[in-house]
Amino acid sequence: MARRYFVAGNWKMNGSIKANADLLGDLLRQAHELAAIDMAVCPPAVYIDSVGRQLIGSAIALGAQNLSDQDKAGAFTGEIQAAMLADLACTHVLVGHSERRALYGEDDATVARKFGVAKAAGLTPILCIGETLAEREAGNTHAVLERQLRAVIDVHGVAAIDGTMIAYEPVWAIGTGHTASPQQAQDAHRFIRGVMSGFDASIAGSTRLLYGGSVKADNAAGLFSCEDVDGGLIGGAALKAAEFLAICSVARALA
Ligand code: PEP
């Protein structure tokens, strides 16, 4: 069945005004050829405004990497409110990226709050879930995925998932060069869809599931061809225009 893939670039804490402008210039020159898929870039917060200005009129969506779990403005020094991201024309936001969970102590409850405030502000959350290597080796992959997914569904209800995206990102594959095999990715994605199906089969069927973890142009076809993989969340490879565009082209060829 033809599907509309979504490929998002997570720039992590990389970039500069000049590097971003160069990267976007290269992306924008070819983005029109990729109209059959949806694309987004998620720059560091300080660059969201300038990147957004460069994207005006293009088909590339603007995403953020993080947001505050507080829904109201106020005394939360250093935090960025969902409404502020929306104010800057952000449409998407990563929630629960493994680096936020591991390095900044974001637990399931925090991730669920962030998911809720993102939705309330009209942003599309991309909920990142995934197991560590130790969890996989202990045979706990499915249990971890289900726990991280249910943490959001239990608080907000399955209807809140509708229209959002879920990124399966095995922690052991992020930035390591060790990509999940297509079989491992498909198994996890099918499991995630199955958990959602237990709540609502229609939402499970329509929610786009992205794979993230060392996706490159030369492994994207195997991953994106999996039945339950609807796109990718790309980190390191999103910083090189040619590589990111090549990954997007793989998605376009399969769409
Ligand atoms: C990510 O940052 O979400 C990611 C998947 O990174 P990488 O592609 O570099 O593994």
Side-chain angles (χ1 to χ4, degrees):
M1 188 180 70
R3 56 193 138 163
R4 195 158 174 96
Y5 286 85
F6 187 95
V7 182
N10 172 17
W11 294 359
K12 310 197 192 205
M13 195 173 76
N14 291 289
S16 65
I17 290 173
K18 173 158 184 357
N20 300 344
D22 291 348
L23 175 56
L24 288 171
D26 290 343
L27 294 184
L28 290 170
R29 265 188 286 284
Q30 286 192 41
H32 62 279
E33 293 170 19
L34 297 163
I37 66 161
D38 295 319
M39 295 168 71
V41 291
C42 304
V46 289
Y47 296 125
I48 287 173
D49 190 34
S50 58
V51 167
R53 286 172 201 274
Q54 210 175 332
L55 292 180
I56 287 172
S58 85
I60 300 180
L62 181 62
Q65 299 173 15
N66 187 26
L67 78 168
S68 170
D69 65 343
Q70 301 293 328
D71 56 349
K72 304 260 185 317
F76 304 104
T77 302
E79 291 294 293
I80 298 175
Q81 189 192 14
M84 297 173 182
L85 296 175
D87 206 17
L88 293 180
C90 254
T91 50
H92 295 75
V93 61
L94 306 183
V95 175
H97 191 281
S98 70
E99 288 153 18
R100 301 295 318 168
R101 293 179 191 260
L103 303 175
Y104 300 99
E106 291 190 11
D107 59 12
D108 287 339
T110 307
V111 171
R113 279 197 304 278
K114 290 187 174 198
F115 188 95
V117 295
K119 281 219 70 167
L123 300 170
T124 299
I126 300 174
L127 174 65
C128 303
I129 61 176
E131 81 288 359
T132 63
L133 185 58
E135 289 164 340
R136 172 166 282 269
E137 287 177 347
N140 291 334
T141 298
H142 287 181
V144 170
L145 297 178
E146 182 160 1
R147 191 202 76 227
Q148 293 179 337
L149 188 54
R150 277 179 176 269
V152 171
I153 295 177
D154 288 349
V155 173
H156 300 293
V158 69
I161 301 284
D162 201 12
T164 72
M165 283 178 266
I166 295 171
Y168 168 58
E169 296 210 300
V171 179
W172 47 271
I174 298 179
T176 59
H178 300 300
T179 316
S181 68
Q183 190 51 52
Q184 287 171 319
Q186 169 58 21
D187 171 73
H189 283 228
R190 170 150 299 181
F191 176 77
I192 292 164
R193 221 184 278 286
V195 172
M196 284 195 291
S197 244
F199 292 92
D200 187 306
S202 160
I203 292 174
S206 63
T207 302
R208 286 193 283 192
L209 306 184
L210 315 181
Y211 169 80
S214 297
V215 177
K216 305 270 182 304
D218 62 7
N219 59 28
L223 291 160
F224 293 174
S225 325
C226 295
E227 190 183 341
D228 288 290
V229 177
D230 307 308
L233 178 52
I234 318 299
L239 296 171
K240 296 171 221 136
E243 185 76 13
F244 187 64
L245 287 165
I247 293 168
C248 292
S249 294
V250 169
R252 182 196 52 182
L254 293 167

